[in-house]
Amino acid sequence: MTDKKFYITTPIYYPSDYLHIGHCYCTIAADTMARYKRITGYDVYFLTGTDEHGEKIERKAEAAKTTPKAYVDNIVQATKELWKRLHIDYTHYIRTTDDYHERRVQKIFQKLYDKNFIYKGLYKGLYCVSDEAFFTDSQVIKKEDGKCYCPDCEKELEYKEEECYYLKLSDYGQWLIDYYKEHPEFLGPKERMNEMLNNFLLPGLEDLAVTRKGLKWGIPCPINKEHSIYVWIDALSNYITALGYPEEEDDLFKKYWACDVHFVGKEIVRFHSIIWPIMLKMLDIPLPKKVFGHGWILFDDGKKMSKSRGNVVEPNSLIDKYGVDSLRYFLMREITFGIDGYYSQELLLKRINSDLANDYGNLWHRITTMLGKYFNSILPEEVESVYGERERELKKAVLTLDANVESALDDFKFNEALSYIWEVIRMTNKYVEESAPWNLAKDETKKDYLANVMYISFQSYYIITAYLQIFFVETPKKVFNRLGLGDNVPLEDAKKWGSLNAGIKIERGEALFKRYDIEEEIGI
Ligand code: ME8
């Protein structure tokens, strides 16, 4: 057993509609991180799930003429199927309608009440049903029609006036400012911390309404049955109820808490970096080590892809058409994790054609074809005594992947890690090109040089693919099987030069990635 532990979470998504590639983006990033940690020897707990209560879902179900539970059951089933297709290897899928979660959230609420952090009051103000969030007058967008709109999703806000219970967030504003100062690593990327300080903490925190009166589709408030617990208190608690808190603090909770990183979209950073740490502080629980707020996937017109806007890209059809590795690769390569990025079918196809079909796929095709022609598909021994500058340079570049990929991933720089790998793929292609094996093959005295080109290219390809196991879920298996090595290889062994045995028979197989006619595909 390893004592290296890693606990990572995604947001728990609202099953108000089928999920789109924005949700896939965060989930794939978390899954990639989990794969990276597992392959480097960590014991990983990876949590995802669905946030099923609240007024938004209640209204959706009403409109669909069904019950909230039947409504969410259907979306949850589709979500789990989608995660299966994308090979999302989560440890646990939490549903906030799970009995254990509901019971534990009530206990958490009771604890906060018993510790005098909750008091009864009256809520008068603006509420966004779509984001399930309260807003103060200064935060809202006021338009010419005289109405107030949500600063996050731009939907019209509703005025609410109701009895409710409040959580004393305001008592902890200064404490949190100090905590940020002492723990600059708590919130990433850096800009997010300034946003939180300037927009919320420095102007002064207000107490938070933590119950809703008369809302049926929520967890009943344990101290007043006419109220239900505010959906964000219910939702944030998932990160600890999934581990047993507060009922079973000795087992999973003790083992995996404090969480290593919560991946969340930038629009919900404030819940995770203000409400959540204060709740934990009130409960005397250590804070998560990091909250990381990633950017949004936008369309070419700059609009955010979102369920409430209805302008989404459906992931299943992309998987059907282009395969799971292409989609995973595109999302991790094209968009810098932490800032906004664009999606279009054209961008996706360009990446598939240039990076996957040309660079990575074609390299395999070239070297396996040559190995077939010159060595009957049997990998020859390398001959170090005839190494030249080209060989030394490529070998050195391949061996730097170790430090470069790991340090990029430790900072959640997925696209940087991939660009290091692609640099080596391109160098390997160049190495084959410049070594001109077709000329070496004509000269009997150059047999050792030819053997080196083959061995070095395959060794490089093997190490590259061993790293790509972090990002791809199908292609490495194909490559390893063609090398006669089974489905998975331990990165620790594979990354060493010499890890590929001479004498193995290598099968070329079908093209690893298909090339697309972009104009034909997008219909222009
Ligand atoms: O906010 N680009 O759920 P949600 C990138 N239930 N990421 C996107 C995206 C886009 N266009 N659209 C969605 C909720 N996401 C709450 C969370 S957690 C305790 C409760 C991703 O269904 C992104 O990670 O609205 C975002 O934060 C999340 O989906 C919001 O999902």
Side-chain angles (χ1 to χ4, degrees):
M1 274 305 279
T2 170
D3 56 359
K4 294 202 301 188
K5 307 271 189 304
F6 189 73
Y7 178 25
I8 184 165
T9 67
T10 69
I12 47 170
Y13 306 111
Y14 290 127
S16 52
D17 224 322
Y18 297 108
L19 302 192
H20 56 73
I21 60 167
H23 305 100
C24 296
Y25 175 57
C26 183
T27 312
I28 288 171
D31 186 60
T32 304
M33 207 57 208
R35 282 170 195 273
Y36 161 59
K37 288 292 175 179
R38 268 187 228 113
I39 212 169
T40 50
Y42 283 76
D43 172 350
V44 172
Y45 196 94
F46 170 20
L47 182 68
T48 190
T50 25
D51 182 2
E52 306 186 7
H53 294 119
E55 196 169 349
K56 176 158 73 168
I57 305 270
E58 194 175 57
R59 288 191 192 176
K60 275 273 184 177
E62 220 172 79
K65 299 200 171 24
T66 181
T67 62
K69 186 66 167 69
Y71 185 88
V72 296
D73 279 352
N74 170 47
I75 308 258
V76 167
Q77 193 191 344
T79 304
K80 287 187 171 174
E81 276 163 20
L82 174 61
W83 293 160
K84 201 167 173 187
R85 292 199 72 192
L86 283 169
H87 297 249
I88 303 298
D89 197 1
Y90 52 78
T91 316
H92 184 63
Y93 187 102
I94 188 167
R95 298 184 58 174
T96 55
T97 50
D98 287 337
D99 286 349
Y100 72 86
H101 172 77
E102 294 191 347
R103 201 175 59 236
R104 289 171 190 166
V105 168
Q106 287 181 322
K107 289 185 179 171
I108 290 170
F109 193 98
Q110 186 73 50
K111 266 193 177 207
L112 292 168
Y113 183 76
D114 293 343
K115 287 170 148 233
N116 272 327
F117 292 121
I118 288 177
Y119 64 91
K120 197 170 180 176
L122 186 67
Y123 179 77
K124 278 191 202 164
L126 295 157
Y127 191 73
C128 174
V129 176
S130 183
D131 287 338
E132 299 282 12
F134 301 99
F135 290 99
T136 58
D137 211 43
S138 63
Q139 291 167 338
V140 306
I141 304 174
K142 290 183 182 138
K143 289 198 183 163
E144 281 166 3
D145 59 8
K147 292 178 180 160
C148 295
Y149 292 86
C150 173
D152 290 340
C153 73
E154 295 176 24
K155 291 210 159 181
E156 190 181 335
L157 296 171
E158 295 184 17
Y159 184 77
K160 306 253 179 206
E161 195 172 324
E162 59 190 35
E163 177 193 272
C164 74
Y165 289 83
Y166 278 97
L167 185 69
K168 291 182 182 168
L169 283 194
S170 60
D171 283 0
Y172 282 88
Q174 190 54 47
W175 167 79
L176 194 54
I177 293 172
D178 295 340
Y179 188 85
Y180 278 15
K181 274 193 198 130
E182 283 157 30
H183 299 89
E185 76 295 343
F186 173 68
L187 181 55
K190 264 202 220 93
E191 311 80 67
R192 306 270 176 255
M193 198 169 257
N194 290 334
E195 283 164 22
M196 292 304 117
L197 283 167
N198 296 332
N199 299 345
F200 302 103
L201 288 170
L202 295 172
L205 276 188
E206 292 181 19
D207 289 345
L208 176 75
V210 288
T211 65
R212 297 285 317 277
K213 195 173 175 185
L215 177 74
K216 284 194 233 71
W217 186 237
I219 301 179
C221 169
I223 53 169
N224 184 336
K225 297 288 182 237
E226 285 178 21
H227 289 240
S228 59
I229 296 174
Y230 173 43
V231 66
W232 270 100
I233 298 294
D234 164 359
L236 288 164
S237 303
N238 94 88
Y239 302 127
I240 50 178
T241 62
L243 300 183
Y245 185 88
E247 294 172 344
E248 294 163 24
E249 289 183 46
D250 282 346
D251 197 14
L252 287 175
F253 183 73
K254 194 168 173 195
K255 183 168 173 193
Y256 291 105
W257 194 263
C259 181
D260 288 273
V261 64
H262 295 305
F263 276 178
V264 297
K266 64 181 184 180
E267 79 292 355
I268 56 172
V269 162
R270 69 189 173 103
F271 299 95
H272 287 81
S273 64
I274 296 179
I275 302 175
W276 182 227
I278 294 178
M279 270 175 75
L280 291 168
K281 169 76 180 159
M282 289 170 169
L283 293 166
D284 287 320
I285 297 175
L287 267 48
K289 292 175 202 153
K290 195 173 196 78
V291 173
F292 192 90
H294 66 78
W296 288 341
I297 300 184
L298 308 171
F299 283 110
D300 296 12
D301 61 3
K303 287 258 186 296
K304 185 192 174 203
M305 185 181 300
S306 85
K307 284 180 292 213
S308 54
R309 284 202 173 93
N311 61 343
V312 300
V313 174
E314 201 283 305
N316 280 296
S317 58
L318 289 184
I319 303 170
D320 288 342
K321 264 185 138 171
Y322 308 120
V324 57
D325 282 344
S326 299
L327 181 59
R328 289 182 68 118
Y329 175 76
F330 172 79
L331 292 173
M332 292 298 94
R333 179 69 185 88
E334 184 72 23
I335 306 163
T336 302
F337 202 62
I339 59 176
D340 294 350
Y342 293 99
Y343 168 83
S344 73
Q345 199 187 2
E346 188 177 352
L347 285 170
L348 170 65
L349 289 167
K350 278 185 172 160
R351 280 284 172 200
I352 296 177
N353 279 356
S354 75
D355 300 6
L356 302 181
N358 279 4
D359 295 339
Y360 180 71
N362 200 38
L363 177 58
W364 177 259
H365 183 80
R366 288 177 90 185
I367 60 179
T368 48
T369 305
M370 287 183 219
L371 190 72
K373 199 161 163 194
Y374 306 133
F375 292 95
N376 208 13
S377 295
I378 307 289
L379 188 68
E381 300 260 0
E382 73 173 329
V383 190
E384 256 195 278
S385 56
V386 297
Y387 255 37
E389 196 47 42
R390 267 203 294 270
E391 281 72 19
R392 276 191 287 275
E393 214 178 282
L394 180 60
K395 179 171 170 179
K396 195 169 140 207
V398 172
L399 294 177
T400 56
L401 280 179
D402 189 12
N404 288 345
V405 170
E406 295 194 12
S407 79
L409 288 178
D410 285 337
D411 285 339
F412 315 122
K413 293 180 175 159
F414 300 103
N415 62 347
E416 199 173 294
L418 282 168
S419 71
Y420 284 126
I421 298 175
W422 251 257
E423 219 173 281
V424 176
I425 294 174
R426 294 195 180 115
M427 280 183 79
T428 312
N429 262 316
K430 190 161 161 254
Y431 168 70
V432 174
E433 193 63 40
E434 289 177 351
S435 307
W438 43 91
N439 287 337
L440 298 175
K442 288 183 203 144
D443 184 345
E444 205 27 55
T445 66
K446 293 280 166 52
K447 194 114 187 146
D448 287 348
Y449 293 86
L450 184 62
N452 270 346
V453 180
M454 289 288 91
Y455 185 87
I456 290 169
S457 306
F458 276 99
Q459 176 67 80
S460 169
Y461 206 90
Y462 179 50
I463 295 179
I464 286 162
T465 308
Y467 279 102
L468 286 178
Q469 291 179 102
I470 297 168
F471 295 92
F472 288 163
V473 292
E474 287 178 345
T475 315
K477 287 191 178 72
K478 285 188 197 161
V479 171
F480 299 146
N481 275 298
R482 292 173 192 185
L483 292 168
L485 301 172
D487 285 346
N488 306 298
V489 301
L491 181 61
E492 207 38 47
D493 302 338
K495 72 185 182 187
K496 295 182 191 122
W497 197 265
S499 57
L500 206 53
N501 289 332
I504 55 171
K505 182 155 180 82
I506 298 175
E507 190 196 325
R508 184 170 78 182
E510 307 243 292
L512 291 172
F513 289 95
K514 196 177 149 199
R515 221 179 172 285
Y516 294 89
D517 181 327
I518 297 184
E519 287 185 8
E520 200 173 284
E521 278 293 305
I522 60 180
I524 47 170

